[in-house]
Amino acid sequence: MRSHRTLLVFLIPVSLLLGAAREFLFLNLNYQIDHLARRSAFSYAHSVFQRWTGGMDLDALLRWKWGLAVAFIAAMWTLAILTARVLVGDHRYLRVITLLFLAVAGLALMLHLTAVPALEAVSVKLLHALQYPVVLVVLWVALRLRVRPVG
C-alpha cells in the first residue's frame, strides 16, 4: 500500500508538469501559427520556440499541433489508468476510462464537424479537458466517492 501512495505522489507532479509543458507548447505554437497565417512582421512566440520551429511552414505547424494534441491525450489517458490502478488496486476501470476518453473525443469531433462556431468552441474545450490534469482530478473525486460494499 505504501508503494501505491508513493506512486500517487509521483503521478500528481508529473501530471502538473505535463499540463504546464502543454500550456507552453500550445500557447507558443498558436502564436507561431497566427504569425504565419497572417504573415505578420513578427511573432509573439517565445524566442526559444521560434528557434525550435524555424523553417516550418503553416501546414507543418498544424500537423505538429494535432500530433501534440494526440500525444497529450494519450499521456493523460495513461496517467488516468495509472491513477485508477493506484486508487483501487487493480485495472477494473481500464475499459470505462478508455470508453469515456473515446466518447469525449468523439463528441468533440462531432461538434467540430457541425461547423457551428459555438459548438466548435465547445469541441475545443472538450479536447483541452482531455489534455490537462483535470481528468485526473475528476477521476480521483469519482473514485473517492464511489459506493463501497457493506459488510
Side-chain angles (χ1 to χ4, degrees):
M1 186 60 137
R2 187 174 185 94
S3 65
H4 286 322
R5 286 196 178 135
T6 303
L7 182 57
L8 196 57
V9 168
F10 172 75
L11 290 174
I12 293 168
V14 165
S15 68
L16 294 174
L17 287 172
L18 275 175
R22 189 232 176 260
E23 188 66 20
F24 175 81
L25 288 171
F26 277 79
L27 178 73
N28 287 290
L29 188 52
N30 286 331
Y31 280 145
Q32 195 65 12
I33 287 169
D34 180 68
H35 164 65
L36 291 177
R38 293 186 312 113
R39 295 186 174 111
S40 59
F42 59 90
S43 171
Y44 288 106
H46 193 283
S47 58
V48 170
F49 190 85
Q50 287 182 45
R51 281 195 300 274
W52 290 347
T53 59
M56 293 178 84
D57 65 4
L58 185 58
D59 288 335
L61 289 175
L62 290 171
R63 282 191 305 273
W64 197 39
K65 183 176 180 176
W66 280 105
L68 283 173
V70 169
F72 277 102
I73 289 171
M76 287 302 155
W77 173 79
T78 301
L79 288 173
I81 297 299
L82 289 172
T83 300
R85 168 77 168 100
V86 168
L87 290 174
V88 273
D90 57 39
H91 286 292
R92 74 181 90 163
Y93 292 108
L94 171 68
R95 187 177 193 160
V96 171
I97 291 169
T98 301
L99 290 175
L100 286 172
F101 264 79
L102 291 172
V104 171
L107 177 60
L109 177 62
M110 286 187 331
L111 293 174
H112 178 74
L113 292 176
T114 65
V116 175
L119 294 179
E120 286 182 359
V122 173
S123 169
V124 169
K125 298 298 183 199
L126 288 172
L127 286 178
H128 286 178
L130 292 178
Q131 297 174 57
Y132 281 104
V134 69
V135 172
L136 302 181
V137 172
V138 170
L139 177 66
W140 185 317
V141 170
L143 290 176
R144 288 294 178 203
L145 292 176
R146 76 183 192 277
V147 178
R148 290 196 167 83
V150 178

